[in-house]
Amino acid sequence: MNLSNYRPTKDKISTYLPLGSFLIIISFFDILINTFFNLNITSFLTQKISYFFPLVIGFIGFYLIRIEFSGVKFLDKLNKNINSNNFNALLTLLILFIIIKSILPILNWFFFEANFVGNSKEDCTGDGACWVFIKVWFNRFMYGLYPDVEQWRVNTAFILLFGLVGIAFFVPQKIKKYFLIFLIFVYPFIGIKLLSGGSFGLTYVETAAWGGLSLTFIISAFAILFCFPIGVILALGRRSSLPAIRYISIGFIELWRGVPLITVLFMAAVMFPMFLPDGTFIDKLIRVLIAITLFEAAYMAEVVRGGLQALPKGQYEAAKSLGMGYWRMNALIILPQALKLVIPGIANTLLALVKDTPLIFVVGLMELAGMIGLAKTNPKWLGMAMEGYVFAGLVFWVICYAMSRYSQNLEKKLSTER
């Protein structure tokens, strides 16, 4: 049967729209009843027909409501986005049916059959998740092996950081730059001193004891703080008219982009100390921070270079005609425009940086994923890997989603489109 001969039209919308809507409702009703109440309203049909009945009925329903320029705003929007053709209609139904079928098992595992109360693995008697594992190990997941009595220092460091960042949004523009200078060039040393101790009456805590989510934040914050300016300098260097600067920048970028991060971390943590003079020691965490920063700076440089190349030559010529030098031209005219164009790329690079931090586990630093890997190998908690990694996944999703939303708001705020 050629369905094109029965194509729904606007002049028959009063017939096709109610009929199509009814069939779609029937298809979803069948799936919902079967999923949540284990009832099959089409049990009178053969097994194969009954299994595909909701999909076929829903597909026909979507076809009947696919009325071009119907004049109904909601219907036109639905047809444009998820029902523009037969393939999209079928794909929409399959995705929605899979989601509906997955809801109950997920809810059972997460909540209804999960265990929340207890202090040991023996308290987990249900078939769902054992969130007791997360509760017992939560402190370690947050702070790693940092001494319990000294964890107030970690909290203080982060409270100060978040407080200063929050204040920076509300202070007058005249003194905001001083806040930024303090945050970038002064606070990192205060925070590190507070965490490491060794002076001012604070007990020394070696960096090997740092870990958990706090270490993830520390590495991400430092790498983000320094990879961006280094990336900008490399991008400008790659476009420099001076051959020496240009080729050095190209060589640096291509070298760091040509090797995997796990290799870079291994070289920084294991191989690099072998080349140091006798008696010279650089902390492993410092070496890892430098390695991640330089690695991400190479990617950041290419993102920024894309923004620089997107600007027309007229911008450069206009700045030069005003008598601006190279650095003033880039600082006041070129970079503000170029960076606005590549905010999505910059955000993407920073998100990748945050998600790459679990790789430091291979060099013995226990951030969040590393601590979960350590906890799941504990003889008393064997078999708890699923709960741990689900917890880590949710934490990273929240962090990355917040960064993504902020970048979208920033992009909208700085947009010059009308």
Side-chain angles (χ1 to χ4, degrees):
M1 181 177 65
N2 188 1
L3 292 177
S4 61
N5 297 330
Y6 303 92
R7 184 178 297 278
T9 56
K10 185 177 179 180
D11 58 331
K12 297 182 180 179
I13 188 173
S14 59
T15 301
Y16 285 113
L17 183 57
L19 180 59
S21 301
F22 176 74
L23 293 177
I24 293 172
I25 292 172
I26 289 295
S27 68
F28 280 96
F29 180 75
D30 186 10
I31 287 290
L32 290 170
I33 288 294
N34 184 264
T35 301
F36 292 99
F37 299 99
N38 199 25
L39 297 176
N40 186 4
I41 62 175
T42 57
S43 57
F44 58 90
L45 301 173
T46 62
Q47 184 177 1
K48 290 184 178 180
I49 296 177
S50 176
Y51 186 80
F52 290 103
F53 177 79
L55 187 63
V56 174
I57 292 298
F59 178 78
I60 295 174
F62 269 116
Y63 178 80
L64 293 177
I65 67 171
R66 196 180 304 137
I67 303 170
E68 296 183 356
F69 309 109
S70 66
V72 181
K73 187 176 181 180
F74 174 78
L75 181 61
D76 290 337
K77 187 175 181 180
L78 183 144
N79 288 330
K80 179 181 177 181
N81 292 298
I82 64 173
N83 190 31
S84 57
N85 53 53
N86 292 333
F87 176 77
N88 286 342
L90 185 62
L91 189 62
T92 298
L93 286 170
L94 285 173
I95 292 174
L96 291 176
F97 287 172
I98 291 173
I99 292 174
I100 292 173
K101 282 289 187 180
S102 303
I103 288 175
L104 189 59
I106 291 175
L107 289 177
N108 284 337
W109 189 83
F110 265 91
F111 302 107
F112 301 138
E113 298 178 2
N115 296 103
F116 297 90
V117 180
N119 296 295
S120 66
K121 184 180 178 180
E122 287 69 28
D123 295 317
C124 299
T125 57
D127 296 327
C130 180
W131 299 121
V132 177
F133 171 69
I134 304 299
K135 185 185 76 171
V136 172
W137 285 86
F138 185 79
N139 188 270
R140 294 303 172 199
F141 292 161
M142 294 298 105
Y143 304 101
L145 302 178
Y146 207 90
D148 293 347
V149 295
E150 303 293 337
Q151 288 172 4
W152 65 268
R153 289 154 53 178
V154 180
N155 298 333
T156 302
F158 281 104
I159 290 172
L160 283 174
L161 175 61
F162 295 143
L164 290 171
V165 172
I167 293 173
F169 283 101
F170 301 100
V171 297
Q173 195 67 31
K174 292 182 179 180
I175 62 174
K176 181 174 291 188
K177 59 182 179 181
Y178 299 110
F179 261 86
L180 294 177
I181 292 173
F182 178 82
L183 280 170
I184 295 173
F185 298 106
V186 179
Y187 178 78
F189 299 99
I190 296 176
I192 290 297
K193 198 61 182 175
L194 183 61
L195 293 173
S196 60
S199 58
F200 303 106
L202 298 175
T203 305
Y204 175 73
V205 179
E206 60 180 355
T207 55
W210 300 12
L213 186 61
S214 60
L215 183 60
T216 299
F217 281 138
I218 291 169
I219 293 177
S220 301
F222 271 83
I224 289 172
L225 188 64
F226 292 107
C227 80
F228 181 73
I230 295 174
V232 171
I233 292 173
L234 288 171
L236 293 173
R238 186 160 188 168
R239 290 172 53 83
S240 174
S241 58
L242 300 176
I245 295 177
R246 184 169 67 253
Y247 289 126
I248 289 174
S249 299
I250 292 173
F252 181 93
I253 293 170
E254 297 305 327
L255 173 65
W256 288 88
R257 289 203 309 157
V259 292
L261 179 58
I262 193 169
T263 303
V264 174
L265 293 173
F266 180 79
M267 291 292 293
V270 180
M271 301 298 294
F272 180 73
M274 298 180 182
F275 298 96
L276 294 176
D278 292 338
T280 303
F281 173 76
I282 301 177
D283 190 87
K284 183 193 290 187
L285 179 58
I286 300 298
R287 301 197 302 269
V288 167
L289 279 172
I290 294 173
I292 294 178
T293 299
L294 295 178
F295 182 85
E296 297 297 339
Y299 285 88
M300 185 66 71
E302 289 299 275
V303 173
V304 175
R305 186 169 70 92
L308 294 172
Q309 291 184 168
L311 292 182
K313 291 184 178 180
Q315 296 294 320
Y316 294 86
E317 295 169 353
K320 291 177 181 178
S321 68
L322 295 174
M324 291 186 176
Y326 177 81
W327 292 109
R328 192 180 179 194
M329 173 186 69
N330 280 288
L332 300 179
I333 304 297
I334 303 304
L335 284 176
Q337 297 182 74
L339 295 179
K340 283 194 296 185
L341 296 175
V342 293
I343 288 176
I346 292 174
N348 188 58
T349 303
L350 298 182
L351 289 173
L353 187 159
V354 174
K355 291 185 289 186
D356 284 342
T357 54
L359 289 176
I360 66 173
F361 175 64
V362 300
V363 295
L365 294 175
M366 302 292 185
E367 46 68 66
L368 177 59
M371 286 305 305
I372 289 173
L374 182 65
K376 72 183 179 65
T377 59
N378 187 292
K380 296 181 180 179
W381 293 97
L382 293 176
M384 295 292 107
M386 178 68 75
E387 288 82 354
Y389 289 124
V390 168
F391 173 73
L394 291 174
V395 170
F396 275 101
W397 182 84
V398 170
I399 295 171
C400 293
Y401 181 75
M403 293 175 63
S404 177
R405 291 298 302 174
Y406 177 75
S407 70
Q408 291 176 25
N409 292 335
L410 188 63
E411 184 181 357
K412 186 182 298 184
K413 180 181 178 180
L414 299 178
S415 176
T416 56
E417 297 179 0
R418 294 291 185 268

